[in-house]
Every structure is written in structure tokens, then in C-alpha cells.
Amino acid sequence: MEFLQQLFQNQSYDPKNFFLIAGPCVVESEELVMEVANGVYTICKKLGIPYVFKASYRKANRTSASSFTGIGDEAAMQLVKKVGDQFGLPTTSDIHAHEEAALAAKYIDILQIPAFLCRQTDLLVAAAETGKIVNVKKGQFVSGDAMKFAVDKIRKAGNDKVMLTERGTTFGYQDLIVDYRNIPIMSAHNVPVVMDCTHSLQQPNQSTGVTGGNPQLIGTIAKAAIATGAHGLFIETHPNPSCAKSDGANMLHLNKLEELLVQLVKIRKAVVD
């Protein structure tokens, strides 16, 4: 896709590689985002992987009212932009309402639509009208084929720069499963498809008020996604997930990322070649 080439034009990478969207779940502090960005940037540069830095400026969807939501929207956006400027990286973060789109677009290169909001027409149109790339996460309750309607809403608003992200499907009340048929199905909408390897392992709606997860399966999800044709991977990572202020149960420890990416590059080469 031409817009992806433009997105990564400042990076040196293998054009046959998948791209990576990675970072901590939420902006906790400047120290954290810089540490994670530096670590992932160094690995991706070594392996020839194009990289997008990700951190949410606010977590609007939390199980408990007592959960951490952020340090303040603009303060967090400024830190995301600072990471992008310092490392020469494109950046992404969630937006949650149509009135947030224009403000976020001043700081962020890819506007991410949360899975629960993938059918919100005013949100999709507002994101499209910024002219930024729009990455829509497939709702846990939506089929891959039905995501064509989200793509159509964005395109009809005058924006062809659309990506879709698979993040699992609701299985009962407290688990998710990944249907890998959705990767080629969503690719048929003529958009890049990303596999969210961490949120797809969530175990939501726990009685503790804190979402659980299965981070030991991140590699399994990622490998299968590359094998089935995903264009990109989304992996949240943290230097100390047990102390993370959001989604610690799902994130990959930063010191485990390089080993996994080395394996994924090998799989990608086998698939592409």
C-alpha cells in the first residue's frame, strides 16, 4: 500500500517484512515511553522491521472505575509526539469520540479506533476527515466480512488510508478466540491487516475488576498471524508488565521481544519467498 510506504519513508527496512506497532498500553510517564521506544526501535532497526510506536494517551475503556486512565490527554499526546520526533517514528494512539479526532491528529500519525467503537459512524467519519491513516480494530462481536462497512464509511468520507486489526472474538463471558480466517477475509477489503497479538489474549470481565490474560501465548498468536498473511503485528510491551498501570496481564516483557521477532522474521521470509 502506497500510504504505508510513505509512513515508513524515514526508516531503513526490508520491504518484504511485516511492520510492527508496539509500545506500552498507556502513557504512564516520559521515562517509560522513551525506554520502550528506544528498546523496540533498536531491535527493529537491527532486524529490518518498519516500526510504529504505540501508546494510548488515555484508557477510556476500563473494567473498574478505580483503574488508571492516564496522565491527561494533551500531556500524553505531547509525549507520544516527542517519541516520534526523537526516534523518527510514526506514532499511533486510540481516539474514543468524534471530538477527539482533530486534536489527536495534531500529534499522532495513525488514529486507532477501539474495537468496541468500530461501528460508531461519527467517530469513523471524524477520523477519516483528519486525513490521517485510520486503523480500525475489529469488534469482538463483528465478523471480518462485516468490517467492510467500517472501511466504506471511511472511504466515503474521502480517506483511502485505512487499516484493519484483528483482536479476537468473544468466547463466552470471559475469554476470546482468534479466527485466522479473518486475516485473508479482511485483506480482501483491499486494506493492510494487523494482528493484535496481546489484546486477543485478554480474559475480560473478571470478578476482580481487572482483565486477565495469557501472555505466554503471544508468540503462538503472532506466528500463526504471519503464516496466514498478516501485513503487520500489534504487540504491547513493557519493561515490567507486573507493574504496568494498564493491561499488564497481556503485555510482552520487553526483554522477550527480540527473540520473538527473530523467529517471526524467519516465518515471514518463508511465507513471502
Side-chain angles (χ1 to χ4, degrees):
M1 299 287 179
E2 185 177 347
F3 71 82
L4 288 181
Q5 294 175 359
Q6 294 174 350
L7 183 70
F8 298 122
Q9 63 185 348
N10 295 324
Q11 297 185 50
S12 177
Y13 62 93
D14 181 349
K16 292 184 178 181
N17 242 335
F18 58 88
F19 61 90
L20 179 67
I21 300 173
C25 181
V26 65
V27 175
E28 299 177 19
S29 66
E30 181 171 353
E31 180 182 18
L32 173 72
V33 295
M34 288 298 174
E35 179 183 357
V36 174
N38 182 60
V40 182
Y41 169 77
T42 301
I43 296 166
C44 287
K45 187 175 181 181
K46 183 194 306 185
L47 298 177
I49 299 171
Y51 173 40
V52 178
F53 174 77
K54 182 271 170 185
S56 295
Y57 59 80
R58 170 163 44 93
K59 299 302 294 183
N61 175 28
R62 304 308 309 275
T63 303
S64 170
S66 63
S67 297
F68 176 79
T69 57
I71 63 171
D73 288 3
E74 254 191 291
M77 289 184 201
Q78 288 169 355
L79 286 177
V80 173
K81 185 176 187 301
K82 185 173 182 178
V83 167
D85 291 344
Q86 181 161 324
F87 293 96
L89 297 171
T91 60
T92 187
S93 190
D94 307 274
I95 60 172
H96 317 90
H98 67 275
E99 60 267 22
E100 295 179 32
L103 175 61
K106 296 178 181 179
Y107 298 94
I108 293 158
D109 301 294
I110 302 173
L111 301 181
Q112 181 174 285
I113 308 299
F116 284 125
L117 302 177
C118 70
R119 293 178 55 174
Q120 294 297 106
T121 301
D122 58 348
L123 178 59
L124 294 171
V125 171
E129 288 176 344
T130 66
K132 296 288 187 173
I133 297 170
V134 183
N135 178 21
V136 188
K137 287 196 167 184
K138 182 186 75 63
Q140 301 92 321
F141 47 87
V142 179
S143 70
D145 188 55
M147 287 302 292
K148 64 187 175 186
F149 300 112
V151 174
D152 287 345
K153 289 175 184 178
I154 294 166
R155 287 177 172 159
K156 286 179 180 177
N159 189 337
D160 288 326
K161 296 181 289 186
V162 191
M163 299 161 52
L164 294 177
T165 294
E166 165 64 37
R167 54 95 73 235
T169 301
T170 298
F171 185 69
Y173 290 113
Q174 296 177 317
D175 209 352
L176 299 169
I177 56 171
V178 176
D179 181 353
Y180 286 96
R181 295 176 298 177
N182 282 324
I183 292 177
I185 287 171
M186 292 196 295
S187 293
H189 304 324
N190 295 313
V191 297
V193 174
V194 179
M195 181 71 231
D196 184 338
C197 303
T198 43
H199 289 101
S200 60
L201 290 167
Q202 284 182 333
Q203 293 179 313
N205 304 318
Q206 300 298 311
S207 59
T208 59
V210 178
T211 297
N214 288 295
Q216 70 275 12
L217 294 175
I218 291 171
T220 301
I221 296 292
K223 291 170 187 176
I226 293 299
T228 49
H231 302 87
L233 298 176
F234 178 110
I235 299 176
E236 289 188 335
T237 183
H238 194 285
N240 191 355
S242 64
C243 294
K245 295 184 178 181
S246 176
D247 275 359
N250 308 298
M251 282 192 279
L252 182 69
H253 198 294
L254 186 59
N255 67 13
K256 296 182 179 179
L257 181 63
E258 182 170 2
E259 180 183 359
L260 174 58
L261 290 178
V262 168
Q263 296 173 20
L264 295 172
V265 168
K266 291 178 181 177
I267 295 172
R268 175 70 174 184
K269 287 180 179 177
V271 171
V272 172
D273 294 342

